[in-house]
Structures are given as structure tokens and as C-alpha cells.
Amino acid sequence: MSNSHSDTVPLHPSSQSDIDEIENLINASVQSGPATVLPARPPSPPRASIPVSSTPFIQSQIPPPPPQSSSSNQKVPTVAAAPPPPPPYVGNSSSIAATGFGPAPNTLTEPVWDTVKRDLSRIVSNLKLVVFPNPYREDPGKALRDWDLWGPFFFIVFLGLTLSWSASVKKSEVFAVAFALLAAGAVILTLNVLLLGGHIIFFQSLSLLGYCLFPLDIGALICMLKDNVIVKIVVVSVTLAWSSWAAYPFMSSAVNPRRKALALYPVFLMYVSVGFLIIAIN
Amino acid sequence: MEESSYSNLSTSHLLGSVPAVANGEKKASYEVPEANLQIFPPNNGSGGGSGRGYQTLEAPTEDFEQQAANNWKGVFSISSYTQYFNVDTDVVIYRLICSFFPATGDFFSKIDANPDLYGLIWITTTLVFALASFGNCATYLMQKHTDGTTSWSFDVGYINAAASGIYGYAVVVPVAFYFLLQYLGSNASLVRFWCMWGYSLSIFVPTAIILLIPLEILRWIIILIAGTASSCFVALNLRTYIEGPNDLRMMVVAAFLLQMALAIFIKVWFFA
């Protein structure tokens, strides 16, 4: 499919990097013996494996015995050569081979801390991709390949709570307004891009707009702690600029260049209104 | 077959390898090539090429497609609403500037070919934000001007009042006029009414900024000027649209008065 592409349609730079990525993965897996294709997101460590053919009295809750882990150590260096960051949880690649895209029974029986840690690390990595300068910024399709909605949820709720805490009257109404504004705003902004004939994935865009709230979260926290109006205005302006800078590449590449301003203005409007809410609440 | 459908997706050169909005209707049209009257235009009509190639295989249905002027694919399909957002930045800016100068009543002829709902939605939203934020600022400045004490706190209720007032007005009034005109026999188009009323509200956004000045008499003068300009815009355009019998002139006067009432409501509620 990719070959016919190169004949007719010029590839987007990100497509070429994706094709390289896939080819490297295929080469890496061919080199490492058993056909293991790493799934897109790091799989959970298969710690507690449900014994299939053992007697009822043998409980294998402990991690698999050393002979298997030494073979996985041997596999890790070759796998680490692949361009995507080597997943920190590649434990038992032989069991990964058995279960394509993520071993289902193992995520059910793994400890809760593992699940939470995996989600937290995904939030942190998405945050680093979106909000901080990094080499992937010109490639918006790659930026949030592994999108999730936990991060945006935490940031929106945190912002609502901070605003509600710093308000002196009508606290619950402030939280309701902030939450509704941000949640409905993210949905409406995504619909706006789709209606203007742009091409984005709905949940990826929701996720991105949620992650871009992180600077405003920091701003709201600082404004809650320090109540001077001038300081608030400066802090909010800086974090507002930071949020807009984070959201700009993704939104502007999603639509026709003649309609770029039409897609970006509502994003700016939403962040300015949230910024104003942060300054004005006292 | 799969390859041809992927190469026609105009999304594939914009993003990474992850294709956007999986268009289910497109797949249906490719699986059944001899479905004659149900050929959907690929991807908002922008995927040109082999889509039209398929249509030319059955020539009589091409006429049928062109006669059905709007691509209505149901209430819950986004692509049936994209026809109302088919504007570029310069078009929107041009229409905004036209709405600031109400002297000529030819707005309807300017939007006739391509009415857009983008202006309605985002001008009303901007106005809601402007009223809520500058209204709060104005109350604060007024208190500081008269008392000198700052016992002011941010009133979140302004956002609720602004949202219900402005959104309610901008949605309900054109619908009411549409139904009234349909009932009285004149031909009306709801989308064009919404578009015109939406752009008529754009004057109030800079007005809200100017109304920050904490002088009562100046505020009244400003709001009356802005209200008159906006109402004249609405009334003149409506008059040129309804080229009909005399009793429809009451409509025009009613539209004028409603817009003035909105202006006065803005002044009294937010900038008291």
C-alpha cells in the first residue's frame, strides 16, 4: 500500500517517518528471532500469569524464574535499537509473542499500582510531547499518537478546583462554569475544525486541547497563592502565550491554510476567557 | 480496491499514516459500484478525481446529484453541515466589515450564494465572553469611581445571563421571523436570516470595550449609537429582502425595535 502511495501522492513527512519506523520494527523483530512486533504502547509487565495446566494448589504470583528473564535481557538490547523509545516494561517477550497487542488476562490480574504507573507515565510522556519544546512538534500526527483522556480530565478538574478554591463567593457555580466551559469548549473547537473541512481525529484533538491546559493550571496555582493583580496579569499572560504556542501547530495543520485563522481564533478565545477567569476570580 | 480507496482520501497527505475521520459512506459506495442513485460525493466533495469518474459511468444520475442542491446526509452527520461553513478567512473578514457600515442594504445579495453559520456561532460566543468579562470590569470600575471601596467580587452569574440572553436572541428571533414570513406567504431562508442576524451583533463587541468608561451619560450615548447602527443594519437588509406588500413593513419596524431592545438590555444588565 505504501508503494502505490509513493507513485501517485507525495508523502507527508510524517508518513515517511512512520514507514521507516515500521520497517525498523520489522527488521528488529526479524533479527531477534521469534516474530515479536512491539505494540504501539508499552505493554504491561506480565507479572502474575494465570497458570493454564497446573494443579490448583500451585499459585504462580511471583515474577517468572530467572532463566526466562535472562533471555529477555538478551532481547532487550536489539529491541532498543528501534526508533521508538524502548518501552521500560519489556519483560517477557516470549509471552508478548503469544499475545499480539497487549496481553489481556495480564492487565486484569496485574497489581493496581502497575496500571496506575503505566497511565501516569503515559500522561507524562504526552505532556512532554505537547507542551514542551521537542523535535516532534512539526509532525502533528505523531505528537499525540498515543492519546488518552485521563490527562485532560485531571487538568480540567484541577483548574476548576483551583478557581473554585480561590473564589470568595459562589464557589460551586465557579467550578461548574469552568468545567462546562472547558469541556464543552474542547468538543466545540474540534467540531469547528471538522465543519471547516479540516482533518483531525476527534478524540486526539480533545486530548490535545486538554493537555494544552497544563500551563494555565500552573498559572492558576500561582495566582491562587499570590493575590497581587499585576503579578496575576503577568503570570496569566505568560501561561496563555505558552498554551497557545502549544496548541498552534496541531490546529493550524489540520485545516486548509486559507482557513487557518478561522480555526485558531476560537482556540485563542477559549484560552483568553479562561485566563480572564483566573485573573478576575479573587 | 482498498488501495484505490486509500489513494483517494485527500487526508492521507495531510497527516501521518493515521487516516482521519473514517468515512463509512465512502466504503459503501465502493463496495456497490452499480448502486445508481446513491452515489455519495467523496469527502465533502473535495476528493474530485475518481469520485466523479464513477459518476460519469451512470450519466443520468449526475443530473440528479446536481439538482439536489444541499448535501443533506441526516441530522447526525457532520458532512451535511459543512456546506454552511464553506468560507475562508478573507470572506469572513469582508462580511464583518460590511456589517459595520449599515448604510447599504445589500448584505443578503452578498451572502446569497454562500451563507455561513460560522459568523453566527463565533460572533455570539465572542459577545458572550465580552459582555461577561467587560461587564464585570465595568462594575468594578464604577464602584471604585463612586465609592473608592473595593468590596467587589467577580460575579459568575454574568456569564449565565450573557449566554442565555445572547444565544437565545440570536437563535430565536430569526426563527420567529422565518416562520412569520413563511406564514404570510413571502419566501424566506432560515440560514440567511441566521447569518444576517449573527453578523449584526458584531458591532456590540467593540462597544462592550468602549462601555468600560465609567461615565453614565457617556455609556448611554455610546449604547444608543451602537444600537441604532445595528438596528439599521437589520432593518435595511430586511427591507430589501422583503420586496412585497406594505403590511410587511411592520416586520421591519419590529426587527428594528427588537435590536434596540437588545442594546438597552446589554447596557442595563451588564454595564449598570
Side-chain angles (χ1 to χ4, degrees):
Chain A
M1 185 158 58
S2 63
N3 292 331
S4 68
H5 255 298
S6 58
D7 291 339
T8 55
V9 177
L11 280 180
H12 191 266
S14 64
S15 307
Q16 184 56 47
S17 62
D18 294 339
I19 296 170
D20 290 341
E21 201 179 309
I22 296 174
E23 284 178 0
N24 283 330
L25 275 177
I26 294 174
N27 291 338
S29 66
V30 164
Q31 287 167 13
S32 66
T36 60
V37 177
L38 287 180
R41 49 181 89 180
S44 64
R47 296 272 178 86
S49 54
I50 298 177
V52 176
S53 60
S54 57
T55 66
F57 296 118
I58 298 179
Q59 302 286 332
S60 59
Q61 295 292 334
I62 51 175
Q68 279 178 316
S69 65
S70 68
S71 69
S72 74
N73 283 338
Q74 180 195 2
K75 289 186 174 58
V76 163
T78 39
V79 167
Y89 297 132
V90 170
N92 209 343
S93 42
S94 56
S95 73
I96 296 174
T99 63
F101 284 114
N106 291 324
T107 59
L108 272 180
T109 56
E110 66 180 3
V112 173
W113 175 240
D114 287 348
T115 316
V116 172
K117 198 159 64 171
R118 189 171 71 245
D119 284 331
L120 279 178
S121 71
R122 186 163 58 210
I123 292 178
V124 168
S125 73
N126 277 339
L127 197 62
K128 283 198 291 213
L129 277 178
V130 170
V131 178
F132 295 101
N134 64 73
Y136 294 117
R137 282 191 70 84
E138 292 76 36
D139 193 353
K142 199 183 184 101
L144 266 187
R145 177 74 52 78
D146 197 9
W147 59 266
D148 71 309
L149 290 179
W150 278 117
F153 175 72
F154 284 137
F155 295 143
I156 293 181
V157 169
F158 181 77
L159 191 55
L161 284 177
T162 314
L163 285 174
S164 171
W165 200 338
S166 35
S168 44
V169 292
K170 288 190 182 177
K171 285 174 181 285
S172 52
E173 200 171 327
V174 168
F175 178 83
V177 165
F179 189 87
L181 174 69
L182 290 167
V187 172
I188 293 175
L189 286 174
T190 312
L191 283 178
N192 182 49
V193 172
L194 287 175
L195 285 168
L196 283 173
H199 304 287
I200 48 170
I201 304 171
F202 185 75
F203 285 108
Q204 193 178 19
S205 167
L206 287 188
S207 176
L208 178 106
L209 287 170
Y211 275 110
C212 289
L213 278 179
F214 176 74
L216 282 168
D217 273 354
I218 300 180
L221 195 58
I222 298 177
C223 287
M224 185 175 75
L225 299 172
K226 187 94 177 109
D227 211 11
N228 186 1
V229 176
I230 306 290
V231 167
K232 277 188 180 179
I233 292 180
V234 168
V235 164
V236 167
S237 317
V238 167
T239 52
L240 183 68
W242 186 6
S243 281
S244 311
W245 171 82
Y248 177 83
F250 190 77
M251 281 294 174
S252 66
S253 65
V255 284
N256 190 340
R258 287 197 314 254
R259 302 182 180 185
K260 209 161 61 163
L262 295 184
L264 286 172
Y265 166 72
V267 179
F268 181 67
L269 180 67
M270 181 172 92
Y271 287 149
V272 163
S273 62
V274 172
F276 187 83
L277 213 53
I278 296 176
I279 295 180
I281 299 253
N282 60 339
Chain B
M1 180 69 87
E2 276 301 302
E3 284 168 52
S4 62
S5 72
Y6 276 125
S7 64
N8 281 331
L9 278 178
S10 58
T11 63
S12 57
H13 67 285
L14 284 179
L15 285 187
S17 61
V18 183
V21 189
N23 217 342
E25 304 140 7
K26 198 165 143 47
K27 293 233 157 64
S29 71
Y30 276 92
E31 280 160 12
V32 189
E34 52 282 343
N36 37 14
L37 294 185
Q38 299 296 324
I39 294 179
F40 299 112
N43 254 359
N44 314 325
S46 62
S50 78
R52 253 177 239 129
Y54 259 100
Q55 285 184 343
T56 54
L57 283 179
E58 289 112 2
T61 64
E62 199 175 332
D63 292 358
F64 180 86
E65 266 299 317
Q66 284 167 359
Q67 278 161 17
N70 55 346
N71 307 324
W72 193 254
K73 295 188 189 61
V75 180
F76 291 115
S77 158
I78 288 194
S79 51
S80 50
Y81 295 104
T82 52
Q83 55 182 315
Y84 301 124
F85 285 82
N86 196 13
V87 281
D88 294 334
T89 310
D90 44 357
V91 173
V92 171
I93 292 182
Y94 174 68
R95 290 178 184 182
L96 270 178
I97 295 178
C98 285
S99 75
F100 273 82
F101 302 112
T104 56
D106 59 351
F107 193 75
F108 276 111
S109 62
K110 284 177 188 147
I111 66 170
D112 201 33
N114 190 11
D116 71 300
L117 294 179
Y118 180 90
L120 173 77
I121 294 178
W122 292 111
I123 292 176
T124 48
T125 309
T126 311
L127 187 58
V128 165
F129 162 66
L131 287 179
S133 56
F134 295 126
N136 268 303
C137 281
T139 331
Y140 172 73
L141 287 175
M142 201 62 155
Q143 266 194 1
K144 222 169 73 152
H145 186 76
T146 55
D147 306 0
T149 61
T150 49
S151 63
W152 169 87
S153 66
F154 183 79
D155 188 5
V156 178
Y158 275 33
I159 299 180
N160 286 335
S164 20
I166 300 298
Y167 282 133
Y169 180 89
V171 168
V172 167
V173 167
V175 168
F177 272 89
Y178 169 72
F179 281 124
L180 216 48
L181 282 174
Q182 290 280 58
Y183 176 70
L184 292 175
S186 171
N187 200 1
S189 156
L190 183 56
V191 180
R192 289 177 180 76
F193 277 8
W194 265 330
C195 181
M196 196 267 291
W197 254 277
Y199 280 101
S200 77
L201 292 176
S202 66
I203 297 185
F204 291 121
V205 176
T207 313
I209 303 179
I210 303 180
L211 280 175
L212 281 174
I213 304 174
L215 277 177
E216 190 70 19
I217 191 70
L218 201 59
R219 282 185 178 178
W220 276 110
I221 295 175
I222 292 171
I223 197 64
L224 283 173
I225 295 176
T228 314
S230 187
S231 314
C232 284
F233 178 77
V234 171
L236 284 173
N237 282 313
L238 212 52
R239 193 174 70 180
T240 51
Y241 190 74
I242 312 172
E243 322 253 0
N246 279 349
D247 54 352
L248 288 180
R249 204 165 296 173
M250 282 307 297
M251 301 280 142
V252 176
V253 174
F256 186 95
L257 290 176
L258 276 173
Q259 198 86 355
M260 280 307 288
L262 179 73
I264 302 211
F265 164 73
I266 288 176
K267 163 69 181 71
V268 166
W269 194 283
F270 296 102
F271 295 95

